[in-house]
Amino acid sequence: IDLRTLRKPLFKYTSCVAHTHPVSQTSCWKLKVQCHTRAFTKRLVCLWICGSVGLCLWICGSNVFFNHFQDSVNEERVAHVLAEACIRMHLAEERVCRNITELFRDDVIWALQKSLLWPSEACALLVGPSCGKFDLYAPWNITLPKVPKPPVIPPSAPAAGSPQNRVLFLTDIHWDQEYAEGSAADCKDPLCCRNDSGTPSWRRREAGYWGTYSKCDLPLRTVEHLLQHVAKSGPWDWVYWTGDIPAHNVWAQTRAQQLSELTVITRLIHKHLGPNVTVYPAIGNHESTPVNSFPPPSEHGNRSSAWLYNTMAEEWAPWLPEQALKTLRYGGFYTLQIQPGLRLVSLNMNYCARENFWLMVNSTDPANQLQWLVQVLQASEDKGEKVHIIGHIPPGLCLGSWSWNYYHIVNRYEGTIAGQFFGHTHTDEFQMFYDEETLTRPLSVAFVAPSVTTYVNLNPGKKGSLEEVTVC
Ligand SMILES: [Zn+2]
Ligand SMILES: [Zn+2]
């Protein structure tokens, strides 16, 4: 097939690839195995990729072309076939499969249509090297200013009596509005402890009052209790809050629900910590619906993220200055001065994430965020200002190219970046950065805080009560 003759790039490519690289039952089986061993959202991506390649084969076989794919009847068919694939591959219960394919349908098909990737590349980009080939090192490089890197000053402990700040670090609250005490804590859905999880049988555990060690999120009372507790253990100078507000019921979320959860939790934090404590938020991958769906700012209209970013800007206006709200509305990131000598950068890490299917359209520095970061860091270096970076997904879990560019930036500005704070993994850990020349000299640390939610099998967590962050 001559690709140049094809009118609709992706789907014609799809049929081409189907001829040259037919996806066998075996590789679908591999995907299925991977689907069962990874998080539910990963499984969804598997479903879409396996499903779309399977559809490609079906379309080649039946000689129907994707030219008319955009019409709603065909979209309907695609969603139906994918839901069937989800059910037959036992990725989830039938109800969850049908809801999720419906929820993802419009945006994923739109992104696929705009993508110039071959299906195997799309698969590799979204799922990983196990299901296709995509050159993650296919270079896109941010440009660093010509200003030479200042000499490295080895870190030393601050002198006794240096000013200190107490910083609270909250992440991954995941409030479940439908959490129900006494419901089944073990169920087949991706999230349990809810009314529709069923009633526990004599052998099965049931949802507790405060929470449960299972795949369950939290009732509001636990979130509120935690906030009361941290308010008492103050005073706090400021708070880092790195995202993931809604529950893991990703198959049944609406924009209205996501926004109402954002509003309720934001106001609750404000109420308990008081008007004198400034909270600096970052955007998690669960804030949007469909989950992980963060179109870059080049996407306009109803498909864009304006519905989310505008509400965030409204709700977070008491904490953030106008200039920060402006870039928040544009791309979900911002910078501001916390105090003289210390600047904050809040990154929208959804633009680095493999699971954000919008990156199929273009994964090169989405929203020019890293290039913007370089400008901010250079300006801070010029002023002798230190910078803290916060975000949701830790940089080591990003797409390869994004991750290496970030690593390069941290290397260049090691004298300016005084701290990095992330969430998303739900566990208390850290990621190390070393010098690029020898990979032996540690030069920066990204702290990853434990989640407030118990999902999965965890204790609720927060960080900061025992830590004094010294600004030097
Ligand atoms: Zn989370
Ligand atoms: Zn997350």
Side-chain angles (χ1 to χ4, degrees):
I1 295 173
D2 181 358
L3 297 180
R4 284 165 303 184
T5 64
L6 306 177
R7 278 179 294 154
K8 294 253 174 178
L10 173 86
F11 297 107
K12 292 287 194 168
Y13 287 0
T14 309
S15 55
C16 175
V17 169
H19 285 298
T20 51
H21 305 286
V23 173
S24 64
Q25 202 56 36
T26 326
S27 54
C28 259
W29 172 246
K30 272 188 206 149
L31 271 175
K32 183 183 168 188
V33 172
Q34 190 183 34
C35 292
H36 278 293
T37 54
R38 293 213 183 178
F40 180 65
T41 47
K42 286 268 184 197
R43 288 193 260 155
L44 295 178
V45 174
C46 289
L47 163 69
W48 275 98
I49 295 301
C50 214
S52 59
V53 180
L55 269 173
C56 145
L57 289 173
W58 167 66
I59 275 157
C60 294
S62 64
N63 215 14
V64 177
F65 290 101
F66 269 113
N67 295 29
H68 307 293
F69 197 60
Q70 260 172 320
D71 77 48
S72 57
V73 178
N74 279 322
E75 267 192 29
E76 214 53 76
R77 273 189 211 154
V78 172
H80 178 75
V81 171
L82 287 177
E84 287 301 316
C86 174
I87 296 160
R88 287 179 192 208
M89 290 167 74
H90 303 290
L91 295 187
E93 291 285 279
E94 181 174 347
R95 169 179 53 90
V96 173
C97 282
R98 297 215 183 279
N99 286 353
I100 201 87
T101 41
E102 202 51 42
L103 193 59
F104 273 73
R105 186 177 104 176
D106 285 356
D107 285 351
V108 172
I109 288 175
W110 180 257
L112 278 168
Q113 279 172 330
K114 291 182 87 176
S115 164
L116 293 174
L117 295 174
W118 291 44
S120 61
E121 291 174 321
C123 186
L125 178 73
L126 294 170
V127 179
S130 59
C131 82
K133 239 186 138 189
F134 177 68
D135 189 2
L136 292 174
Y137 302 101
W140 58 269
N141 290 319
I142 40 94
T143 315
L144 292 179
K146 292 210 168 63
V147 187
K149 178 177 172 178
V152 175
I153 302 167
S156 56
S162 298
Q164 291 189 321
N165 294 109
R166 297 192 72 228
V167 179
L168 173 66
F169 184 6
L170 286 175
T171 193
D172 296 85
I173 291 176
H174 293 290
W175 163 39
D176 186 2
Q177 289 201 55
E178 290 172 46
Y179 185 96
E181 186 191 3
S183 60
D186 301 297
C187 70
K188 287 184 177 167
D189 290 345
L191 180 66
C192 306
C193 300
R194 330 181 82 217
N195 282 327
D196 56 8
S197 305
T199 39
S201 62
W202 65 274
R203 276 186 307 161
R204 299 232 174 136
R205 296 175 301 156
E206 60 177 54
Y209 178 78
W210 293 107
T212 308
Y213 289 126
S214 187
K215 45 180 181 174
C216 302
D217 284 317
L218 292 178
L220 196 62
R221 56 179 164 266
T222 311
V223 179
E224 191 149 20
H225 197 268
L226 180 130
L227 290 172
Q228 283 163 357
H229 169 74
V230 293
K232 274 190 229 146
S233 42
W236 301 103
D237 291 304
W238 66 83
V239 180
Y240 293 146
W241 175 29
T242 53
D244 270 8
I245 301 163
H248 288 82
N249 60 327
V250 294
W251 68 94
Q253 291 172 329
T254 65
R255 286 182 177 186
Q257 280 166 3
Q258 302 290 96
L259 295 181
S260 104
E261 285 158 6
L262 169 78
T263 307
V264 168
I265 298 294
T266 300
R267 293 180 188 181
L268 205 62
I269 291 175
H270 201 270
K271 177 181 140 193
H272 286 286
L273 296 177
N276 299 327
V277 181
T278 307
V279 178
Y280 301 113
I283 302 180
N285 60 311
H286 280 268
E287 263 64 274
S288 189
T289 179
V291 64
N292 301 314
S293 170
F294 289 85
S298 53
E299 196 64 39
H300 298 285
N302 191 39
R303 282 184 211 281
S304 76
S305 290
W307 65 277
L308 184 61
Y309 297 164
N310 286 344
T311 307
M312 286 170 169
E314 271 169 42
E315 289 298 319
W316 298 343
W319 296 324
L320 307 179
E322 187 46 48
Q323 186 55 35
L325 295 175
K326 203 173 150 195
T327 54
L328 176 63
R329 280 189 214 99
Y330 169 76
F333 51 86
Y334 61 85
T335 181
L336 50 81
Q337 192 189 57
I338 295 179
Q339 61 185 31
L342 182 65
R343 173 163 292 278
L344 174 76
V345 170
S346 175
L347 293 176
N348 185 351
M349 299 299 282
N350 295 297
Y351 294 141
C352 89
R354 188 183 289 287
E355 291 80 5
N356 182 1
F357 53 82
W358 286 98
L359 303 190
M360 287 190 300
V361 181
N362 187 354
S363 64
T364 301
D365 194 13
N368 292 319
Q369 185 178 214
L370 284 185
Q371 201 61 62
W372 168 84
L373 173 65
V374 169
Q375 279 173 24
V376 174
L377 291 170
Q378 185 59 55
S380 291
E381 182 182 286
D382 295 344
K383 285 188 265 181
E385 194 176 52
K386 298 288 179 190
V387 174
H388 279 182
I389 297 176
I390 63 168
H392 181 66
I393 299 171
L397 302 183
C398 293
L399 281 168
S401 272
W402 202 101
S403 209
W404 282 117
N405 273 295
Y406 185 82
Y407 208 87
H408 191 47
I409 295 169
V410 172
N411 259 262
R412 167 61 186 81
Y413 293 99
E414 61 170 304
T416 297
I417 299 169
Q420 302 184 57
F421 307 88
F422 295 89
H424 184 64
T425 67
H426 292 197
T427 49
D428 194 354
E429 51 193 341
F430 57 88
Q431 295 184 346
M432 293 299 300
F433 293 73
Y434 294 88
D435 71 295
E436 282 178 314
E437 294 77 38
T438 66
L439 293 176
T440 55
R441 183 175 64 85
L443 50 81
S444 190
V445 184
F447 294 103
V448 181
S451 57
V452 172
T453 183
T454 53
Y455 192 96
V456 175
N457 298 330
L458 299 166
N459 278 318
K462 52 142 176 65
K463 210 170 167 68
S465 58
L466 297 174
E467 286 188 22
E468 259 80 288
V469 176
T470 302
V471 182
C472 45

